[in-house]
């Protein structure tokens, strides 16, 4: 008699409510696995784009300085010794020109203590710890690298402006990447003079370096794969070890009950994510939560199995024309890449 195979029960993300300690939040502030092996030596500037080689040279020199042990301040000094470098370096440029590669390379060569996070992770960290605790914890770092720097929300503008001013005063070096020059951050979305003043104050902390060139990965969004059926997603999730499977609406409602700083722990032990009945989004709050989840999935290289609409229809045209356009396009690019990886999942 042939034994009948027993299907695994997929992980239900909606049943998870992780608790994350401040120590864990800080310990996870390192480059994601896909950027763990990068170094300055592995960056290949485009000969047709001299700004790439120029940026590399500037970062290598800054890395040489930061590789040296941090100088100790005398007990009577209230401010750090004068630096020959500005407190921060800011890499601006389009997608796929190697900004994150250079940022992670700087982190790797620098002496500690050091921290690497995305802008969204930084705002979530401050929200989880509180401003005073965040300043106390982050002031101990020699270098803080901030990827995908963006100010498209007035609350974040004030929050991060205040944080960075205090960190610079404490002698922390900053490095950031973005797709917008720092004196243009927030432009086209908020015109209030108070926020413009905050943005201008941030800009003065950075030595701006523009990196030009075409996206080495692709132009525009990749083509989204065809969605699976609900049954196919559920079967594939049952077949794969440590795969999750949740209904789209249940999942985004559950995300609304968790602080975004917990989304990484939310995915602990998950090797693939199954989502059934994906629908077009109509609520911007839900859309922004899914952007954070997409980032955490992408950091962990989690294949996506999904049914419902095609992923390129997830964000409606009005959202893709709004102030959060870059966030949504980044999320789409990442989710589509993960969905292509999910196409390799076995289906009975």
């Amino acid at each position: 008699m042939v034994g009948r195979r027993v299907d695994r029960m997929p992980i239900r993300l909606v049943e998870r409510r992780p608790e994350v300690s401040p120590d864990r939040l800080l310990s996870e502030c390192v480059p994601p696995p896909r950027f763990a092996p990068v170094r300055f030596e592995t960056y290949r500037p485009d000969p047709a784009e001299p700004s790439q080689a120029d940026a590399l040279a500037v970062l290598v020199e800054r890395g040489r300085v930061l590789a040296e042990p941090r100088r100790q301040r005398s007990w009577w000094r209230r401010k750090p010794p004068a630096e020959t470098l500005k407190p921060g370096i800011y890499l601006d440029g389009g997608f796929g020109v190697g900004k994150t590669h250079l940022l992670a390379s700087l982190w790797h060569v620098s002496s500690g203590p050091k921290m690497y996070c995305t802008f969204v992770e930084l705002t979530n960290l401050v929200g989880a710890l509180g401003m005073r605790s965040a300043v106390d914890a982050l002031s101990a770092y020699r270098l803080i690298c901030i990827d995908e720097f963006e100010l498209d929300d007035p609350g974040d503008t004030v929050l991060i402006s205040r944080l960075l001013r205090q960190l610079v005063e404490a002698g922390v070096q900053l490095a950031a990447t973005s797709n917008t020059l720092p004196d243009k951050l927030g432009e086209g979305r908020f015109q209030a003079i108070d926020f413009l003043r905050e943005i201008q104050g941030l800009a003065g902390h950075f030595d701006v370096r523009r990196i030009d060139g075409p996206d080495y990965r692709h132009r525009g969004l990749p083509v989204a794969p065809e969605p699976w059926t609900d049954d196919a997603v559920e079967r594939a999730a049952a077949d794969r070890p440590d795969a999750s499977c949740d209904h789209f609406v249940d999942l985004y409602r559950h995300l609304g009950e968790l602080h975004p700083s917990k989304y990484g722990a939310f995915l602990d032990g998950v090797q693939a994510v199954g989502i059934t009945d994906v629908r077009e989004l109509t609520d911007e709050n839900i859309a922004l939560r899914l952007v954070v989840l997409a980032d955490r999935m992408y950091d962990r290289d989690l294949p996506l199995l999904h049914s419902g609409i095609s992923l390129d229809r997830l964000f409606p045209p009005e959202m893709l024309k709004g102030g959060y356009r870059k966030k949504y396009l980044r999320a789409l690019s990442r989710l589509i890449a993960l969905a292509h990886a999910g196409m390799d999942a076995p289906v009975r």
Side-chain angles (χ1 to χ4, degrees), residues 9-68:
M9 289 298 294
I11 296 168
R12 301 296 180 186
L13 293 177
V14 295
E15 296 174 358
R16 293 185 161 196
R17 293 183 177 276
E19 292 298 325
V20 184
S21 69
D23 287 343
R24 172 170 174 172
L25 288 176
L26 292 169
S27 69
E28 291 179 340
C29 290
V30 298
R34 65 180 59 243
F35 289 103
V38 303
R39 297 295 186 273
F40 288 132
E41 293 78 11
T42 61
Y43 182 74
R44 298 289 179 263
D46 185 344
E49 300 290 348
S51 62
Q52 295 184 13
D54 291 345
L56 173 62
V58 169
L59 266 291
V60 167
E61 175 58 22
R62 187 171 285 259
R64 185 189 64 77
V65 174
L66 289 172
E68 297 294 328

Side-chain angles (χ1 to χ4, degrees), residues 70-83 165-172:
R70 190 175 193 175
R71 288 180 293 174
Q72 297 297 316
R73 284 180 277 174
S74 300
W75 67 268
W76 49 268
R77 278 188 196 266
R78 298 188 61 186
K79 293 185 178 182
E83 297 283 349
R165 280 198 301 270
Q166 293 185 64
L167 295 181
V168 168
E169 186 70 16
V172 179

Side-chain angles (χ1 to χ4, degrees), residues 40-253:
F40 288 132
E41 293 78 11
T42 61
Y43 182 74
R44 298 289 179 263
D46 185 344
E49 300 290 348
S51 62
Q52 295 184 13
D54 291 345
L56 173 62
V58 169
L59 266 291
V60 167
E61 175 58 22
R62 187 171 285 259
R64 185 189 64 77
V65 174
L66 289 172
E68 297 294 328
R70 190 175 193 175
R71 288 180 293 174
Q72 297 297 316
R73 284 180 277 174
S74 300
W75 67 268
W76 49 268
R77 278 188 196 266
R78 298 188 61 186
K79 293 185 178 182
E83 297 283 349
T84 58
L85 303 173
K86 280 193 173 184
I89 179 90
Y90 187 101
L91 303 179
D92 176 76
F95 295 103
V97 295
K99 301 186 303 298
T100 300
H101 185 134
L102 291 173
L103 185 71
S105 298
L106 179 66
W107 186 90
H108 285 304
V109 302
S110 299
S111 65
K114 55 190 177 180
M115 172 180 168
Y116 183 105
C117 61
T118 65
F119 179 82
V120 172
E121 288 173 322
L122 182 60
T123 58
N124 289 339
L125 179 67
V126 177
L129 299 181
M131 177 60 76
R132 177 174 296 180
S133 295
V135 170
D136 289 344
L138 302 186
S139 293
Y141 286 92
R142 172 81 181 282
L143 170 70
I144 296 178
C145 295
I146 309 167
D147 200 16
E148 299 165 356
F149 202 100
E150 52 195 35
L151 290 180
D152 48 19
D153 179 274
D156 288 347
T157 302
V158 174
L159 183 78
I160 299 303
S161 294
R162 179 183 168 194
L163 174 70
L164 295 188
R165 280 198 301 270
Q166 293 185 64
L167 295 181
V168 168
E169 186 70 16
V172 179
Q173 289 282 317
L174 307 171
T177 73
S178 184
N179 303 297
T180 311
L181 291 171
D183 62 345
K184 301 296 183 183
L185 289 169
E187 189 172 282
R189 183 167 178 84
F190 300 106
Q191 299 301 323
I193 188 64
D194 289 343
F195 296 122
L196 292 176
R197 185 182 303 115
E198 291 288 345
I199 292 168
Q200 291 293 333
L202 279 176
H205 296 320
F206 294 95
D207 174 14
V208 177
R209 297 289 166 168
R210 173 80 186 179
I211 305 180
D212 297 309
D215 189 331
Y216 76 91
R217 297 166 299 192
H218 54 76
R219 292 181 179 274
L221 287 174
V223 177
E226 286 295 317
W228 298 22
T229 65
D230 288 353
D231 286 345
V233 172
E234 291 168 357
R235 290 198 304 270
D239 277 348
R240 294 184 63 136
D242 300 319
S244 68
C245 188
D246 296 271
H247 190 277
F248 184 63
V249 174
D250 294 338
L251 181 59
Y252 73 60
R253 285 177 176 167

Side-chain angles (χ1 to χ4, degrees), residues 265-285:
F266 184 61
L267 296 168
D268 280 354
V270 175
Q271 298 300 316
V273 175
I275 305 176
T276 59
D277 195 19
V278 172
R279 306 175 184 183
E280 183 179 78
L281 296 168
T282 58
D283 185 305
E284 199 128 62
N285 290 320

Side-chain angles (χ1 to χ4, degrees), residues 300-318:
R300 291 159 176 76
D301 284 323
L302 300 182
L304 172 62
L305 325 169
H306 85 285
S307 63
I309 64 170
S310 176
L311 289 173
D312 53 15
R313 293 168 48 202
L314 181 62
F315 300 102
E318 56 269 24

